[in-house]
Amino acid sequence: MSAPLLSVENLRIELATRGGMVPVVDDLSLWLNPGETLSIVGESGSGKSMTALAVMGLLPRIGRVAAGRIMFEGQDMTQMEDAALRRIRGNQIGMIFQEPMTSLNPVYTVGEQIAEVLRHHQNQGAAQAWANAVDLLDAVRIPNAKGRAGTYPHEMSGGQRQRVMIAMALACRPKILIADEPTTALDVTVQAEIFDLMRELAKETKTATILITHDMGVVAEMADRVVVMLKGEKVEDGTVTDLINRPQHDYTKSLIASVPHLTPETRDESEVAAQVDQPLLSVRDLTVQFPVKKRWGKREMFTAVNGISFDVERGKTLAIVGESGSGKTTAALAVARLVAAQAGHVTLDRTDMLTLEGEALRQARANVQVIFQDPYSSLNPRLRAGAIVREPMDNLGNLPAAQRDARVAELFEQVGLEPAQMHLFPHQFSGGQRQRISIARALSTNPSLIICDEAVSALDVIIQAQILDLLKDLQRDLDLTYLFISHDLGVVQQMCDDVAVMYMGDIVEYGTRNAVFASPQQDYTRNLLAAVPSVESVIEHPAP
């Protein structure tokens, strides 16, 4: 048997803290053979990304490899000088990072950034490097590659930026490609396209791949072998088929259980119809437009939401689903009067929100609150968690001042936090805990409607499941109504009663969850359902 292309042997990575050196990866061993895909799976903080950074020689300054070896083609990379590492990094080992917008330089065109890799590692001249950059953009299916090479990262969609990152990582035809959560922030349909592209390019170039993810559905569709990490240690490894069909560790079992299954549940539609009353939220002919600057000084209006209508029953959840740019978030923000609507009616608890102004609007907003996608950016980093939750009550005066601190403590307990944590800052919480703070803040004004705008899409699947369970418990206990914005049909299946599918500003399909999932009428809806990662392809079914 030939030697592996890469082997990690008894690796220990430590980070410097005020209390001394703390291990974040401990006694990790794994190997990667030429042409295969190895997936490293685990939740945030498990050490999977830190392992990838160690392989690339990109550990943060406070980090070090304290023990073990990283062997690449017989050379120990932990003992290499920086110059030798730079010759390997980007040239023989490429990496696709999780968030392309922060990885790409905003002041250079995408063509210039790809060409720079070729000039630096392949010693290509400017003209040759530019021509090859255009060819690479074409290879990753960027339309009009020659023209798009001259655009800047902010002028591209998220999926296109990730394709640029893939082009950069593969520019020198590396022997190993490390993909660190390459599709976490992307719509499921774009995610499916990116994975198809990675599979095809890896097959063409014979590149071995390390895929870092927390999603076992992605693993089932992409990987040959799997390493499962928890709290810096490897808890299980094996082939994809063996691991999914015969998991040994409880953590692996929980990861597999968290993969969404899109089988519609049995539901008595006649009973649902009999329960229909005056909806809490009624939206009619809602239109939202934004001015777009055109050449020659002329301005036109871009229609983001095109006269849509829907209802949300009290105590129920309506999901608005669709790809980025479909208009789902814009529609939700218009309901909350956070963006201006040009036409239509938004009736919340018999009040037309679009007609309110001044103090009347300010008071009405207490009845509708928003939980945003990224709690780290939506929470004020300079305020303590208790002050963040208390702030809406201070602004709206919906509770006497003397009672507000007690209410904050009650809300912390309600969302599964300790009242003692009220004095901590957002950065001192985990991602899941920060989202619990966001939920507590949304509950502080006793709203009847909560808008969840991709509220769990940035979370690991296990934490995501916990937050979804919390939202369902709160809905049952407090009779809450949710408008749930998502591109993830698996999450929608778990959370929602009814579904509206949006595409390019229009609602193209609308009905009960079971009707939409069991018998979608539109090709677009069928494509969304088909793109959800699943373990079904590797499940072993007993012979009849």
Side-chain angles (χ1 to χ4, degrees):
M1 182 178 179
S2 60
L5 180 62
L6 176 77
S7 64
V8 175
E9 303 169 4
N10 308 112
L11 182 67
R12 180 182 175 91
I13 302 172
E14 296 177 341
L15 293 182
T17 69
R18 290 180 180 178
M21 301 302 293
V22 174
V24 292
V25 173
D26 193 19
D27 196 27
L28 174 66
S29 295
L30 56 84
W31 70 94
L32 178 69
N33 295 317
E36 80 169 341
T37 296
L38 171 70
S39 185
I40 304 178
V41 186
E43 62 190 28
S44 295
S46 63
K48 57 188 189 298
S49 292
M50 202 61 68
T51 300
L53 292 176
V55 171
M56 292 292 290
L58 292 174
L59 284 175
R61 291 183 179 180
I62 61 170
R64 70 177 186 185
V65 173
R69 303 193 303 173
I70 300 174
M71 303 297 294
F72 173 65
E73 293 190 323
Q75 303 176 78
D76 187 354
M77 296 179 66
T78 66
Q79 302 301 315
M80 288 183 180
E81 299 291 334
D82 287 345
L85 274 175
R86 285 195 296 271
R87 285 192 292 271
I88 292 176
R89 186 169 55 232
N91 193 27
Q92 298 188 66
I93 303 178
M95 188 164 183
I96 306 170
F97 293 94
Q98 179 172 352
E99 178 46 66
M101 195 61 182
T102 57
S103 303
L104 296 171
N105 193 322
V107 301
Y108 290 98
T109 66
V110 296
E112 289 171 332
Q113 295 182 63
I114 298 171
E116 182 184 23
V117 174
L118 294 166
R119 291 197 307 270
H120 179 76
H121 288 295
Q122 302 288 310
N123 296 318
Q124 294 183 8
Q128 182 186 7
W130 180 264
N132 287 337
V134 172
D135 289 342
L136 283 162
L137 288 174
D138 185 63
V140 296
R141 301 178 194 156
I142 295 291
N144 183 25
K146 187 173 182 179
R148 298 291 280 171
T151 61
Y152 292 89
H154 73 273
E155 297 176 297
M156 292 183 148
S157 68
Q160 289 175 329
R161 286 193 292 266
Q162 199 61 288
R163 290 170 189 268
V164 172
M165 290 295 298
I166 294 173
M168 291 179 66
L170 294 176
C172 300
R173 302 180 74 85
K175 295 179 179 179
I176 297 174
L177 176 65
I178 301 175
D180 186 4
E181 299 277 13
T183 62
T184 296
L186 302 180
D187 301 329
V188 285
T189 49
V190 179
Q191 172 181 270
E193 293 172 0
I194 294 296
F195 283 142
D196 285 344
L197 175 63
M198 288 176 59
R199 277 192 291 261
E200 289 183 18
L201 293 175
K203 185 176 180 179
E204 292 173 5
T205 60
K206 310 299 182 187
T207 301
T209 301
I210 297 176
L211 175 63
I212 296 171
T213 184
H214 59 256
D215 189 334
M216 289 300 293
V218 169
V219 170
E221 296 190 1
M222 289 292 295
D224 300 304
R225 291 188 297 108
V226 192
V227 168
V228 182
M229 294 187 67
L230 177 65
K231 296 180 180 179
E233 298 181 354
K234 179 175 71 174
V235 297
E236 193 163 357
D237 64 359
T239 66
V240 171
T241 300
D242 284 344
L243 206 74
I244 288 179
N245 288 282
R246 290 169 288 279
Q248 301 300 308
H249 197 278
D250 287 343
Y251 178 65
T252 309
K253 295 174 184 176
S254 67
L255 283 175
I256 296 170
S258 67
V259 178
H261 298 277
L262 299 182
T263 304
E265 299 173 358
T266 303
R267 192 180 187 206
D268 189 342
E269 304 291 356
S270 61
E271 179 184 344
V272 172
Q275 294 174 348
V276 173
D277 197 358
Q278 178 72 26
L280 174 75
L281 175 68
S282 180
V283 174
R284 291 293 177 269
D285 305 316
L286 181 66
T287 298
V288 181
Q289 296 179 318
F290 298 106
V292 179
K293 189 174 182 179
K294 293 290 185 179
R295 293 182 178 180
W296 317 116
K298 295 181 179 179
R299 297 181 73 85
E300 295 183 359
M301 300 301 289
F302 167 72
T303 301
V305 178
N306 187 26
I308 66 171
S309 299
F310 59 84
D311 293 325
V312 190
E313 298 174 41
R314 190 181 300 272
K316 300 294 185 180
T317 301
L318 170 71
I320 303 181
V321 303
E323 297 171 317
S324 295
S326 62
K328 58 188 188 297
T329 293
T330 301
L333 296 179
V335 167
R337 286 291 300 273
L338 295 177
V339 299
Q342 279 65 50
H345 298 277
V346 175
T347 304
L348 178 63
D349 216 1
R350 296 181 173 84
T351 299
D352 191 340
M353 296 288 290
L354 300 189
T355 64
L356 300 178
E357 299 294 341
E359 181 63 19
L361 174 60
R362 194 172 77 88
Q363 292 298 323
R365 278 186 171 143
N367 207 28
V368 53
Q369 293 293 305
V370 184
I371 303 170
F372 292 98
Q373 178 175 356
D374 183 3
Y376 199 72
S377 60
S378 62
L379 299 178
N380 189 330
R382 301 179 67 180
L383 293 182
R384 298 180 189 273
I388 289 171
V389 174
R390 178 184 166 125
E391 188 178 33
M393 292 185 278
D394 291 336
N395 290 338
L396 292 168
N398 63 320
L399 193 69
Q403 300 177 25
R404 291 173 194 167
D405 286 342
R407 173 60 176 156
V408 172
E410 179 185 350
L411 286 167
F412 265 64
E413 291 181 336
Q414 211 162 25
V415 300
L417 297 172
E418 296 294 332
Q421 296 174 295
M422 290 164 53
H423 304 291
L424 301 178
F425 289 95
H427 72 272
Q428 295 175 289
F429 292 88
S430 69
Q433 288 174 322
R434 285 195 290 267
Q435 199 60 297
R436 290 174 186 267
I437 295 170
S438 296
I439 295 170
R441 176 185 169 93
L443 293 173
S444 64
T445 62
N446 296 316
S448 55
L449 175 69
I450 294 181
I451 297 171
C452 302
D453 186 10
E454 299 281 10
V456 297
S457 64
L459 303 177
D460 296 333
V461 286
I462 292 178
I463 305 300
Q464 179 184 94
Q466 294 172 2
I467 296 298
L468 292 176
D469 286 342
L470 172 63
L471 289 171
K472 286 186 284 189
D473 289 344
L474 291 170
Q475 183 175 46
R476 182 191 63 240
D477 296 342
L478 303 176
D479 196 29
L480 295 173
T481 304
Y482 293 140
L483 183 59
F484 201 88
I485 311 303
S486 181
H487 65 260
D488 189 334
L489 273 292
V491 168
V492 169
Q493 199 274 342
Q494 297 177 49
M495 277 296 297
C496 302
D497 301 286
D498 301 298
V499 181
V501 181
M502 286 194 71
Y503 176 68
M504 296 184 69
D506 291 308
I507 291 180
V508 297
E509 191 149 356
Y510 182 32
T512 65
R513 177 190 59 197
N514 276 5
V516 172
F517 277 63
S519 184
Q521 302 300 302
Q522 301 294 321
D523 288 341
Y524 179 69
T525 310
R526 286 190 280 268
N527 290 338
L528 285 177
L529 289 166
V532 178
S534 169
V535 298
E536 294 301 322
S537 61
V538 295
I539 291 289
E540 294 177 348
H541 298 285

